[in-house]
Amino acid sequence: MQPFLPDSPKDIVSSLEKQGYITDDELATALFLLIRLGKPCLLEGPPGVGKTEIALALAHLLDTDLIRLQCYEGLDVNAAVYEWNYQKQLLGIKLQESEQLSLSEKEAHIFGPDYLLKRPLLQSITHPKRPVLLIDEIDRADEEFEAYLLELLSAFQISIPELGTIRATHKPFVILTSNRTRELSDALKRRCLYHWIDYPDLVKEMTIVKKRLPDIEIDLLGQVVGFVQKLRKRKLVKMPGVSETIDWAESLLALGFSQLTDEAIDQTLGCILKSIDDINLVKAGNP
């Protein structure tokens, strides 16, 4: 089976739509260039707008594996790139005690590939075919780790002191996401294509929800999405994303509501608002 190779961004739009992912021409262009040029793509935007979903959809579109690295404060090389299997190394040293090997030969053996535990970044460049590598919420990681990524993003290689430089067998398709909790370095941005994903407008969000919930009545769909759109204009602690809109609509259907009544809103606000301050604010007056 031939791998998917789009001729234009419109191929991306139509192919993703068949999977239930609604995109626009600008995002499709960024993904098209990611595939064609092999350059990493940085996706920034508020939480819940579908940045992570894009990587999942792209992996399905390209019929390849998704390798995900979830970033967090304190993320280090051992968790992201590689780690030595110390227990296996100790066992290897014990087994070598009776063998007539030099110290350098013993070291070469226990620091060989058989004792190496591959973490997501190393997995991505040694994968048997081009995977999609998702580096999720890079803004949560420390600046030191961000600097470590530069070698991978520019040369698609990783340096391991005991083994030397390991170059990509097949260059992964790299997507980085950021909620912009901090500003990323210029060095990282220079190595990436860039696209900002904002909350969708009313029509696009209705299309997204309808794609996920085809049985929803158009009246309820319009009421739900319209309500969420108004919520985003208020000063909330946590803005509801598209995923919350879908969850809320699905919950209303499961509860048997066909209209967005006050009762329905009061019973299900926890589906879209994840802060008691936001819930009390909305209950105090309609958006």
Side-chain angles (χ1 to χ4, degrees):
M1 182 177 178
Q2 290 294 324
F4 175 73
L5 189 63
D7 293 322
S8 69
K10 292 191 181 299
D11 287 347
I12 301 282
V13 173
S14 59
S15 298
L16 288 180
E17 189 173 347
K18 291 176 183 176
Q19 295 183 38
Y21 191 95
I22 306 300
T23 187
D24 53 40
D25 291 340
E26 290 183 4
L27 175 56
T29 298
L31 296 177
F32 175 79
L33 294 174
L34 182 157
I35 296 170
R36 284 288 188 167
L37 304 181
K39 290 199 66 169
C41 184
L42 171 61
L43 302 176
E44 282 196 323
V49 293
K51 299 185 297 295
T52 300
E53 287 270 336
I54 291 171
L56 300 171
L58 184 63
H60 190 271
L61 184 66
L62 298 173
D63 191 26
T64 191
D65 294 325
L66 174 70
I67 298 175
R68 179 178 180 177
L69 174 64
Q70 177 62 54
C71 297
Y72 53 87
E73 186 178 351
L75 178 66
D76 60 10
V77 171
N78 287 343
V81 188
Y82 75 98
E83 188 174 7
W84 292 107
N85 189 332
Y86 298 116
Q87 292 182 329
K88 190 174 180 180
Q89 283 178 320
L90 289 172
L91 180 59
I93 292 171
K94 281 286 187 183
L95 294 173
Q96 290 175 358
E97 287 179 351
S98 60
E99 298 181 15
Q100 301 300 315
L101 298 174
S102 66
L103 182 60
S104 61
E105 287 175 326
K106 290 180 179 180
E107 287 181 350
H109 177 69
I110 64 169
F111 285 106
D114 291 343
Y115 296 86
L116 190 66
L117 298 174
K118 296 179 181 180
R119 301 309 184 200
L121 297 186
L122 187 56
Q123 290 173 10
S124 71
I125 68 168
T126 57
H127 201 271
K129 65 178 182 178
R130 297 183 72 178
V132 171
L133 170 63
L134 170 61
I135 304 175
D136 214 6
E137 297 182 316
I138 180 60
D139 53 317
R140 291 181 179 271
D142 302 324
E143 293 180 9
E144 291 80 3
F145 180 76
E146 183 184 327
Y148 184 87
L149 281 177
L150 299 181
E151 181 183 20
L152 173 66
L153 297 178
S154 58
F156 291 93
Q157 64 183 32
I158 290 174
S159 297
I160 298 177
E162 298 87 352
L163 296 177
T165 300
I166 299 178
R167 293 177 174 82
T169 308
H170 303 286
K171 287 169 60 174
F173 301 101
V174 183
I175 290 180
L176 303 93
T177 71
S178 168
N179 295 330
R180 210 170 187 182
T181 57
R182 69 173 177 85
E183 189 69 28
L184 302 176
S185 70
D186 290 339
L188 183 139
K189 288 183 176 180
R190 278 198 303 271
R191 287 161 171 79
C192 301
L193 303 166
Y194 179 83
H195 184 74
W196 172 266
I197 302 178
D198 211 339
Y199 294 114
D201 60 23
L202 178 70
V203 174
K204 183 177 179 181
E205 190 161 14
M206 287 181 64
T207 304
I208 292 170
V209 176
K210 184 67 175 177
K211 200 75 174 177
R212 296 295 183 89
L213 303 172
D215 294 332
I216 190 170
E217 294 292 334
I218 193 66
D219 286 347
L220 180 61
L221 174 62
Q223 292 167 7
V224 167
V225 175
F227 190 93
V228 174
Q229 292 273 325
K230 290 178 181 178
L231 281 179
R232 294 191 186 122
K233 296 177 181 177
R234 303 193 68 171
K235 293 182 178 180
L236 301 177
V237 174
K238 183 185 182 302
M239 291 292 179
V242 180
S243 56
E244 279 85 11
T245 307
I246 296 170
D247 289 344
W248 191 31
E250 190 172 22
S251 299
L252 290 167
L253 288 175
L255 291 168
F257 290 108
S258 59
Q259 296 289 322
L260 193 59
T261 61
D262 290 341
E263 179 191 4
I265 293 171
D266 288 342
Q267 286 187 23
T268 58
L269 268 181
C271 296
I272 48 170
L273 299 177
K274 307 302 170 67
S275 162
I276 187 60
D277 292 333
D278 291 341
I279 290 174
N280 288 337
L281 180 68
V282 172
K283 283 187 175 181
N286 289 330

